[in-house]
């Protein structure tokens, strides 16, 4: 039976169910390795895929990859959104913490408790960006720190200084600390599992190699994890799942390793090692799933073969609103621009929360995208710049589109730094 785990509570004065999302699943029986189930929800007006993803404990890349035809910033009310809340467990021992960087998910196997069936808890994570990759290998938790301070290494301080964002030698605990409120120290020198003061970057490659969690997730994990817990970090973009006699393939985008030219060869060798000898392989389907990299377990054998999305026709109700009170990114101050500088219009927003989310993600890109916002005629205008010429502005606009899925308007030149370069009445995107 396909189901979602939920915790029920009695509301005062009645028996109505109070939903609360749970990232905890019972471990499947011996021989199976899939937990959770796919589902769908209907987007509400003014809601982004980031809002939906956080509510269902999904990261940015996870929910956007599963919904390739949906605008992540403007899905529009009534849009059906797939929830990729079905997971093939990593090919690793089911103990302690297992992190699959390709899936951008953390899996925690709590110690066995008398009378309680074995469980697995899973959370979305942010990982190291290009040039600062999260290392794979084995480690363990050596310490737990609440309200940590951060001592950035010299290499990170140099990088920030070169981007015009100098860091102090020690960043104290508080809302400006990128480690958030909780951190787990590891035997891997210089690497942590921690929270974030910029939660909308969870599910992206934005860190300097550390593993980031949503504030509400790291608080739960921090409370559950004892010092000494084993940590295994793997990079498994292809996972062969098995459930009730059916084989599934779950594929994510390959972030490290062989280029696309070797995909067919490497994938063929990998799946030949995974499936029992003599199992018919629908090769074109396997290649199609791997190339798409949507992260959705898709049946290769059995009665569900050829059905990429096994979702009940009804939608599920939103079970949890984020109420941790974590402060979102504040609007960045734009750099003082000389006359003749170039800018591009990122988007216009009616919802100030969405403007803050995009501003925070622009600030996390490497190098960061300078941006500033202004309010007029009931909308918030977010622009990026300044840039010395049109070519540079166009290149940045394309980088934002590739990274965040936002197609910006054509760059504009600001002949006077005192004049608004984006006149009201132009094409506006209501996000």
């Amino acid at each position: 039976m396909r189901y979602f785990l939920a915790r029920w509570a009695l509301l005062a004065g009645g028996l109505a169910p109070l939903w609360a999302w749970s990232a905890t699943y019972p471990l499947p029986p011996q021989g199976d390795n899939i937990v959770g189930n796919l589902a769908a929800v209907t987007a509400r007006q003014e809601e982004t895929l980031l809002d939906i993803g956080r509510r269902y404990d999904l990261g940015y890349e996870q929910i956007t990859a599963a919904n390739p035809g949906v605008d992540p910033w403007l899905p529009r009310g009534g849009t059906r959104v797939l929830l990729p809340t079905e997971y093939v467990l990593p090919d690793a021992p089911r103990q302690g913490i297992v992190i699959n960087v390709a899936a951008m998910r953390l899996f925690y196997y709590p110690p066995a408790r008398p009378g309680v069936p074995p469980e697995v808890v899973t959370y979305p994570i942010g990982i190291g960006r290009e040039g600062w990759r999260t290392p794979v290998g084995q480690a363990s938790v050596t310490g737990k720190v609440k309200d940590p301070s951060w001592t950035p290494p010299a290499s990170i301080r140099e990088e920030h200084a070169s981007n015009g964002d100098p860091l102090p030698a020690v960043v104290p605990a508080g809302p400006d600390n990128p480690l958030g409120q909780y951190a787990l120290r590891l035997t891997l020198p210089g690497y942590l599992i921690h929270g974030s003061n910029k939660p909308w970057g969870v599910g992206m490659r934005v860190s300097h190699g550390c593993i980031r969690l949503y504030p509400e997730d790291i608080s739960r994990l921090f409370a559950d994890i004892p010092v000494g817990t084993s940590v295994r970090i793997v990079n498994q973009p292809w996972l062969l799942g098995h459930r009730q006699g059916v084989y599934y393939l779950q594929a994510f985008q390959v972030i490290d390793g062989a280029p696309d030219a070797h995909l067919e060869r490497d994938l063929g060798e990998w799946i030949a090692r995974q499936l029992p000898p003599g199992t018919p392989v629908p090769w074109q389907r396997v290649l199609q799933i791997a190339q798409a990299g949507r992260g959705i377990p898709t049946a290769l054998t059995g009665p569900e073969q050829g059905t990429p999305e096994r979702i009940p026709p009804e939608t599920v109700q939103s079970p949890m609103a984020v109420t941790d009170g974590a402060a979102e990114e504040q609007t960045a101050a734009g750099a003082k621009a000389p006359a003749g500088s170039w800018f591009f219009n990122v988007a216009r927003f009616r919802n100030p929360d969405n403007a803050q989310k995009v501003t925070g993600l622009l600030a996390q890109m490497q190098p960061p995208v300078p941006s500033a916002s202004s309010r007029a005629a009931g909308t918030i205008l977010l622009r990026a710049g300044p840039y010395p010429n049109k070519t540079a502005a166009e290149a940045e606009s394309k980088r934002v589109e590739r990274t965040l899925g936002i197609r910006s308007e054509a760059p504009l030149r600001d002949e006077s730094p005192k004049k608004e370069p984006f006149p009201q009445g132009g094409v506006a995107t209501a996000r």
Side-chain angles (χ1 to χ4, degrees), residues 116-135:
V116 178
E119 297 175 330
V120 60
V121 189
T122 180
Y123 300 117
I125 59 172
I127 62 172
R129 58 182 170 81
E130 188 173 354
W132 297 88
R133 293 171 180 167
T134 300

Side-chain angles (χ1 to χ4, degrees), residues 370-389:
S371 64
S373 63
S374 60
R375 184 187 294 270
T379 63
I380 299 172
L381 172 67
L382 181 62
R383 71 177 189 178
Y387 297 98
N389 52 57

Side-chain angles (χ1 to χ4, degrees), residues 100 102-103 235-239 249-256 270 293:
N100 186 357
N235 181 12
Q236 298 175 359
W238 308 320
L239 296 165
L249 176 61
Q250 184 176 30
F252 302 93
Q253 294 295 328
V254 179
I255 57 176
D256 296 311
W270 173 83

Side-chain angles (χ1 to χ4, degrees), residues 24 30 74 93 99 116 158 162 189 247 254 264 307 331 390 395:
T24 302
Q30 188 68 29
L74 187 63
I99 293 169
V116 178
E158 290 172 3
S162 65
Y247 283 102
V254 179
E264 196 166 341
T307 306
T331 302
K390 183 179 181 180

Side-chain angles (χ1 to χ4, degrees), residues 101 104 125-135 150 156 159-160 178-179 190-196 198 201-213 361 363-366:
V101 293
M104 297 193 200
I125 59 172
I127 62 172
R129 58 182 170 81
E130 188 173 354
W132 297 88
R133 293 171 180 167
T134 300
W150 179 44
I156 295 179
E159 180 189 69
H160 276 255
L179 302 185
Y191 294 95
L192 304 168
I193 298 173
H194 62 80
S196 177
K198 298 178 179 179
V202 170
M204 299 178 67
R205 300 184 65 190
V206 294
S207 78
H208 288 92
C210 288
I211 294 98
R212 297 181 180 181
L213 281 78
L361 290 175
Q364 291 188 71
M365 291 176 60
Q366 294 298 327

